[in-house]
Amino acid sequence: MTKSIKVKIISGIMIAIIVLAFLFVVVDDDTSIGSYDYDASLPYTDTAEWMQYISDDEYISEITIPGTHDSSTANVPLGYFMRCQNTDIASQLSDGYRYLDLRLAIDDKNDNKLKLVHNFVSCHVSGNILSDYLYLEDVTAAIYSFLEAHPYETVIVNCKIEDDDHSVADVQQLLNAEIAANKDKWYTDSSIPTLGQVRGKIVLMTRFEDAVGLGSNGIQFIWTEQNNTTPIDIPYELYVNDDCRLWVQDRYKYSFDDKYQALIDGFENCEADENTLFINFASTTGTGFAGHPKTYADKINGLILDYDFKEATSYGIIVVDYGTADLARHIYLSNDF
């Protein structure tokens, strides 16, 4: 092999490494998505402690709750396509988000621990390509710490399994082991609780069947993937279990205009009540083969900040990409404080 060929091969390898590293560690530029006026003297504008000012008697389904989509993806390979947040779980909680969307898979190479994933990529603890995977125990430790410091808050954790190599039962058993070891920190009943019942606790929601028959799978909803690109007249769908109902709008392949209209439709027609959850996703990757979530998030989040939420009105759970404290505050200020 000639020297020039060796140089070309080495150069090609170096370029490939640089590109892969860039896709992993690239940090999206901070983007101003707008601003709004609010009375900063009101105690519930503190995003870390806003729930303490809501009545114990309110069912969590009656509260407007800001949430994050693919909550653990601040550090992922192929970040341009796969990253949906640019802050970690602790920061999201401090910023006011009380619904977390976690995707789980088993790590065979590390004691079969549950790791956080987004589809086929694993989440990491930092932007370093060599950093450790982010595990469920890392996420729950952050939530336990937050709730210990803010005992009047609650956090809804919605778990979905994204693991083609293991059974639902295998993943569920590991999740249940984490819950059993911290039983006093979790609410795992299948009915919607009042806020007073779950202050200082994690409310478990699951998007998978109770494969091991424990009967403690939390509030269980397995909704059909809403992956159509052509808009439909009613963008949200109803799912019913034995204890409650769920309306969900998760059209994650809509164009920007169609997605925003679906989101607004949910705002204007929210049917949340003590027996009905309403989850309204603002996230989309667009109609193409692969999208850039932040492009859509910047536009949609800015429009949400401009939206005139009515006071003392429930809009259900509003789930966003690239959540900020300002956005969370604007959403939850619609509650009856």
Side-chain angles (χ1 to χ4, degrees), residues 7-8 26 37 53 57 82 124 133 209 212 244 253 281-282:
V7 170
K8 289 180 180 179
V26 61
D37 293 327
Y53 300 99
D57 297 330
M82 293 296 189
H124 290 245
Y133 288 155
E209 63 189 43
V212 296
C244 50
K253 288 192 175 182
F281 283 83

Side-chain angles (χ1 to χ4, degrees), residues 257-329:
D257 289 335
D258 291 336
K259 182 64 183 188
Y260 185 63
Q261 289 305 313
L263 185 67
I264 296 300
D265 199 330
F267 291 167
E268 296 176 350
N269 297 283
C270 179
E271 295 187 17
D273 57 39
E274 65 183 56
N275 295 309
T276 307
L277 283 155
F278 198 111
I279 303 180
N280 199 1
F281 283 83
S283 52
T284 186
T285 58
T287 58
F289 174 74
H292 179 33
K294 194 170 191 302
T295 299
Y296 296 96
D298 285 345
K299 296 178 182 179
I300 291 175
N301 292 351
L303 290 173
I304 294 174
L305 275 176
D306 289 336
Y307 187 82
D308 186 17
F309 290 108
K310 297 177 183 177
E311 293 183 3
T313 301
S314 174
Y315 291 90
I317 301 170
I318 301 173
V319 188
V320 304
D321 281 344
Y322 287 90
T324 65
D326 271 350
L327 186 61
R329 183 187 295 110

Side-chain angles (χ1 to χ4, degrees), residues 83-117:
R83 183 180 295 114
C84 298
Q85 307 298 328
N86 57 4
T87 58
D88 61 18
I89 296 296
S91 297
Q92 290 170 34
L93 295 174
S94 180
D95 286 345
Y97 294 93
R98 298 292 180 268
Y99 169 98
L100 302 177
D101 170 22
L102 304 184
R103 314 297 175 90
L104 304 174
I106 295 175
D107 182 8
D108 291 322
K109 298 180 180 179
N110 192 354
D111 298 327
N112 287 334
K113 293 200 300 186
L114 283 181
K115 62 180 179 178
L116 278 297
V117 297

Side-chain angles (χ1 to χ4, degrees), residues 1 14-15 46-47 72 75 148 152 161 179 218 236 246-247 298-299 306 310:
M1 184 182 298
M14 292 300 296
I15 291 171
D46 179 354
T47 55
S72 300
N75 301 295
E148 184 175 350
Y152 292 100
I161 297 172
I179 294 171
Y236 34 88
L246 170 74
W247 286 101
D298 285 345
K299 296 178 182 179
D306 289 336
K310 297 177 183 177

